[in-house]
Amino acid sequence: MSVGFHAVDRASVTDSDIVLVFGCGMIGVGAIIRSALRGATVIAVDVSTEKLELAKKLGAKYTINSATEDLLARLDVLTQSMGADVVIEAVGRKETYLAAIAAAAYTGRVLYIGYAKEAIPFDTQFFVKKELDISGSRNATAKDFAAVMNYLKMKTCPIEELITAIYRAEDAQLALESWLNDPGRVFRLLIAF
């Protein structure tokens, strides 16, 4: 969650921004929460209906299931064809890397957290024509950890919904196998010692 908080800080999200977050895993959820806490209008994008429902509980005003909806058409409706002021990519796929540029408003900010496993060719004219600020983000600072702890102390976070399962230490192999068998349904697995 702190990595998502850090990304929002790096993107300088304010209460007047429309923030689109690609990916509703733990890092994306951190970006959604922190953006909402700053008063931004948040649009969450994922291919999982369950994760999008959780994103709404955590502060997303709108959701887009990019597996069943036309992402840019829906974004045009939500932003009156202006695009998102800030786009945070927390997936690491070629498709979301490219879609982030397309979804950004003119003079928008695009921040990449996800690592793409392949080289991605960009049509760089859009960087210039849209006057985009593009940056990367990774890890977190002590300030980000403190912000997450302060958020959790508010007791508004449905922590139990962020934990897929808790395994005993001797069952750690089963935890890894459950993750390997269905990674899209696993949010967080904890090992109890």
Side-chain angles (χ1 to χ4, degrees):
M1 194 180 289
S2 62
V3 174
F5 272 50
H6 182 65
V8 169
D9 201 38
R10 288 202 25 85
S12 302
V13 171
T14 70
D15 60 352
S16 63
D17 286 325
I18 295 175
V19 178
L20 185 143
V21 178
F22 281 102
C24 296
M26 187 59 83
I27 293 172
V29 159
I32 290 165
I33 292 167
R34 184 66 161 167
S35 295
L37 288 172
R38 288 191 174 187
T41 300
V42 181
I43 303 168
V45 180
D46 204 288
V47 297
S48 165
T49 303
E50 293 84 8
K51 288 182 179 178
L52 289 170
E53 287 302 317
L54 179 58
K56 275 189 176 179
K57 292 179 186 177
L58 296 170
K61 184 170 184 176
Y62 305 106
T63 62
I64 301 173
N65 186 323
S66 57
T68 61
E69 299 177 77
D70 181 318
L71 169 69
L72 295 178
R74 178 92 167 102
L75 182 62
D76 278 349
V77 170
L78 296 175
T79 66
Q80 298 168 348
S81 298
M82 298 299 288
D85 302 298
V86 177
V87 179
I88 297 175
E89 195 282 347
V91 177
R93 294 181 52 94
K94 177 181 178 180
E95 299 85 355
T96 51
Y97 258 70
L98 295 172
I101 300 299
Y106 283 80
T107 70
R109 302 177 304 281
V110 179
L111 190 124
Y112 291 106
I113 306 170
Y115 294 160
K117 293 180 173 57
E118 60 189 289
I120 301 172
F122 285 98
D123 189 345
T124 57
Q125 68 172 319
F126 296 112
F127 299 1
V128 177
K129 288 180 179 178
K130 285 183 146 184
E131 296 188 56
L132 298 178
D133 291 330
I134 301 170
S135 57
S137 183
R138 62 179 286 275
N139 221 330
T141 65
K143 183 175 91 170
D144 303 314
F145 283 102
V148 169
M149 288 186 282
N150 288 336
Y151 165 68
L152 293 174
K153 287 176 187 175
M154 293 167 54
K155 300 201 182 292
T156 59
C157 180
I159 293 172
E160 63 285 347
E161 293 186 51
L162 301 179
I163 301 168
T164 305
I166 300 173
Y167 289 86
R168 298 176 305 159
E170 54 270 23
D171 295 327
Q173 182 63 35
L174 291 173
L176 292 174
E177 289 170 9
S178 73
W179 182 29
L180 180 65
N181 291 333
D182 197 359
R185 297 196 64 70
V186 172
F187 201 73
R188 274 290 173 257
L189 299 174
L190 300 182
I191 306 297
F193 290 92

